[in-house]
Each structure stands twice: as structure tokens, then as C-alpha cells.
Amino acid sequence: MNNNILKLTGALLAAGLLSACSLAPTFERPSAPVASAFPANPPAADSKGGPGAGAKDAVDTGWREFFADQRLQQLIATALDNNRDLRTAALRIEEARAAYNITRADRLPNLNAGLSGTLARTPGFQNPATGQPTIGEQFNAGLSIPAFELDFFGRVRSLSEAALATYLSTDEARQAAQISLVAEVAKAYFTERAYAEQLALAQRTYEARRRTYELTRQRVDVGASSLLDLRSNETLMETARASALALARQRAQAENALTLLVGAPPAQAASGNMADDAQIDAMSSVPEGLPSDLIARRPDIRAAEQRLRAANANIGAARAAFFPRISLTAAIGSASPAFSQLFDSGNDTWSFTPQLTLPIFDAGRNRANLNLAEVRKNIAVVDYERTIQTAFREVADALAARSYLADQVAAQRAIQDAQAERLRLLTLRFENGVASTLDVLDAQRELFSAEQQLVQARLLRTTSAIDLYRALGGGLKQ
């Protein structure tokens, strides 16, 4: 009899494992709701921001290759080790993997071994023959399969597939978090360097204006200059001082933001310079490819697709709830009133309990669960499409910036050179008594503003190149 029950149990288990069907809808990736090509942004004249011949794709360009600054490379490496958001993303992967392993285990039967002993006293009135109470012993040992569901309609399988897709989406989300972290560290670093450059410029300007103010005051004392000239010089001097103080504050805050991203205090004082034009040209030379490439390049899009797959699989589990659920419980073992005779011949026991549960009335619970699963899939479809549209816009914006920012920097540099030459000529005219002090002061103010705006334009072009690198999926490779 034991052989028969084992054969029957094995046959049912095999049937449950091999013949399960899935009621989940056939997964179809939604078409990308974007144009087949990025918007054409004609570069302005003499633009140097376009991709160079033979440039590597962003996904194939490691961040150490993309960022030539060694100081920045050290900061990115430290951030990848210490950033708390990235650590949380990695722990989410472990959480999703554990949840998937739990769900996957439900597709296989549990096998339990048990050993028990019972000591019981029976009162005398239950023993008419002797009228005396008795004490009995019972020992049991065996193997059991508790309530294993035969997944004929794929309910457990669908739940397992949904858990797997959730796990994969979590892994993709961690990769997307790494790409964003690399880009944000780089942008924070260059922002801090830009503030440092502007601060140094403001401090030099302040020192120059302070010397001019002192000289003007001496001229006023001897009657060679007017009080109006003195107050005008004082205004420019204090303006430069106020700018320097504001830039010192902004630089300190930018350094704090960089420290937060890195996840640890900097190992050394901030150093290094902003990227020069040649470095920015190299960073801007990433080819954009086609919008369809983003689906393979961007982890956030792949994560959205996995979430859509999970929602699709959950529909299969919800549909399976309308069908009968078949489970079985089986056990084999041995029982004896004496522990020493527990495994003697003739003490064998077995049990086999198949169970079929057919939902008849559940007050609409199953229907509501199916509607919920379908709505969540529709939400996942919208989320997937929105993720693609967002990625498309990020790339298009970065490409538009690349098309024009190089010429904007060149134009701003021309303005600075023109203002510097204007100041030089007015200074000569002032020394020859042709130009007034106010003309020279106005030229100094305009030159300082042009110098500050040039630093800002260079920073904007740098961060735009970083945004394009991130938008195209760069930052995973080292």
C-alpha cells in the first residue's frame, strides 16, 4: 500500500509541476509614444559641440573615461561606495530577491519530518473491564507533505513570475540610481569649482577696487579728485565685496551638497579647475543614436517594462482564482505504543488527503481582484510610456543645449574680451584727461559682470554635456 500511495503522490506532483498552464495575457511591449528621431536642432555657426567622428556611445563610455579630472574620479568612486541612496537601492534588490525566492518556493512541495510522543491518562469509568484508570503511550514518526497546491491553472506560477519581474525591476532601478549618482556628483563638483572660480575673480576684483579706492581717497585729500569719484569707487568696491561674500556662501553650500552625495567628508580640500573648452568638447561628443536605442540603454525604461510584466502576470493569478484549487496532503510513517518498537514491522501508517476547493460565492472578491489587477496593468502601461517620453525629452533637451551652448560660450568670451579692451582704452583716455572717472568705473563694472557670466556659461555647457551622457544611459561602466 505504501508503494501505491507514493506512486500516486508522485504522479500528482508531476502533473501539478508539468501541466500547469498560465492564464496571464500574452505580454506585448507597448510601442514607444515618441517620434522615430530626435528633433533636429541645427547648430549655430562655428559650433564645436557636435559629436566627433568615431565617438563612442554613452553606454560604452565608462565614467573614468568620460571625466578626465582625477579628483572627480576619486569623488565618484567614493560616492559609489558610500552614498546612502545607492546603498538603499542595493538593499531593495536583496529584499526583492528574498521575496522572489519565497514565492518561487511555493511551486515546490514542502517535505517535513516529524517525531512525536503522547502520554495520556484514561479515567477508570472509561475502562469497564477493570474500572481502573490507565496511562497510555503513543509514539509517531514519519514524513509529510502539507497542503501542496497542484497549480493546474498557473496561479502560483503567475505569482512567481510577478515576483521575478519585480526583482528585475528593482535591479534596474539600482542601475538607474547609479547613473544619476555619477551625473549628480559630477555636476555638484563642477558647480563647486565654478563658484570657486567666481569667488577668486570677485576677490581679485575687490582687491583691485580697494586699491583704486585708496588712491582716489588720497587724491580727494589733496584736492585732485572729487567726493563723487570717491563714493563711486567705494560703491564698486563694496559691490565686489558683497559678491565675494555671496559666492563664498554659495561655494560652501555647494561643497556641502557634494559631501552629501559622496556620502563621506572629502579626503582633501577641494581642488582642481572647471573643465576647459577642449574637455567640454570631448564630453559633448557622445552620439545620440535613435530614440528606440533608449529602451535598451536606459535602466529606468527597462525597470518600467519589468513592472509592466509583473502587473501582467498578476492578472494571470487573479484569473486563476476563478477556477478550482486542488491541493493534497500526504503522510507516511510509523506508530507504536513503545518507542523501542516504533520502526518494527507492522507499525506502518499512511494518509492521503486530496482536496478540491471551488469558489461559488465570494461577494465579488475575485472579480474585484481581477479588475484591480487589470487597472494596475493599465497604470503600468502609462508609467512605461511616460518613462519613455521623459527619457526622450531629456535627450532632446540636452541635444538642443549642445547645439547652441558652445556658440553661447564663444559669444560670452567675445563680450568679455571686448569689455576688457574697452576698459583699457577708457583707462588710457582717462589718463590723458579725455574720459571721466565714471566712464572707467562703468567699464570696470561691465567687465566684472562679463567675466562672471562667462564662468556661468561654461558651467552650463559642462552640466549640459553631463546631462546628455546620463540621458543616453552613460555612467554604469567604470
Side-chain angles (χ1 to χ4, degrees), residues 7 39 112 134 197 206 220 231 233 269-270 299 331 340 376 382 415 424 446 463:
K7 291 179 180 180
N112 299 330
T134 60
E197 188 171 324
Y206 169 72
V220 170
R231 294 310 175 200
N233 277 280
S340 60
R376 286 177 174 172
V382 175
I415 293 174
R424 186 186 70 83
E446 294 293 336
T463 56

Side-chain angles (χ1 to χ4, degrees), residues 48-62:
K48 299 180 180 178
K56 294 172 62 177
D57 290 341
V59 292
D60 298 324
T61 304

Side-chain angles (χ1 to χ4, degrees), residues 6 42 63 81-82 98 168 256 266 269 298 394 405 429 432 442:
L6 288 175
W63 52 263
D81 291 334
N82 296 324
L168 295 176
N256 292 337
R298 297 262 303 220
E394 290 175 351
L405 280 177
R429 290 170 61 86
N432 292 322
D442 180 68

Side-chain angles (χ1 to χ4, degrees), residues 335-357:
S336 173
F339 185 79
S340 60
Q341 301 173 359
L342 183 60
F343 297 102
D344 289 351
S345 176
N347 292 335
D348 298 343
T349 63
W350 64 268
S351 65
F352 179 70
T353 310
Q355 184 178 9
L356 184 145
T357 303

Side-chain angles (χ1 to χ4, degrees), residues 198 201 408-409 412-413 415-416 446-459:
Q198 289 180 292
L201 176 62
Q408 181 178 337
V409 171
Q412 192 62 47
R413 182 173 285 110
I415 293 174
Q416 175 188 277
E446 294 293 336
L447 176 59
F448 178 69
S449 176
E451 290 172 335
Q452 295 283 3
Q453 291 177 12
L454 177 59
V455 176
Q456 295 173 2
R458 290 172 54 215
L459 173 63

Side-chain angles (χ1 to χ4, degrees), residues 392-445:
F392 182 88
R393 179 189 174 181
E394 290 175 351
V395 176
D397 286 348
L399 291 175
R402 183 174 72 177
S403 299
Y404 300 106
L405 280 177
D407 282 351
Q408 181 178 337
V409 171
Q412 192 62 47
R413 182 173 285 110
I415 293 174
Q416 175 188 277
D417 294 340
Q419 290 292 350
E421 180 65 12
R422 174 172 175 259
L423 175 61
R424 186 186 70 83
L425 294 175
L426 283 173
T427 302
L428 290 175
R429 290 170 61 86
F430 173 74
E431 292 173 351
N432 292 322
V434 178
S436 67
T437 304
L438 294 179
D439 292 334
V440 176
L441 295 178
D442 180 68
Q444 290 178 345
R445 182 176 63 254

Side-chain angles (χ1 to χ4, degrees), residues 33-34 294 298-305 307 380-394:
V34 294
L294 291 179
R298 297 262 303 220
D300 56 338
I301 296 178
R302 298 197 298 266
E305 180 180 339
R307 292 193 294 269
V381 170
V382 175
D383 176 66
Y384 175 75
E385 294 174 341
R386 180 175 53 82
T387 303
I388 292 179
Q389 290 176 333
T390 301
F392 182 88
R393 179 189 174 181
E394 290 175 351

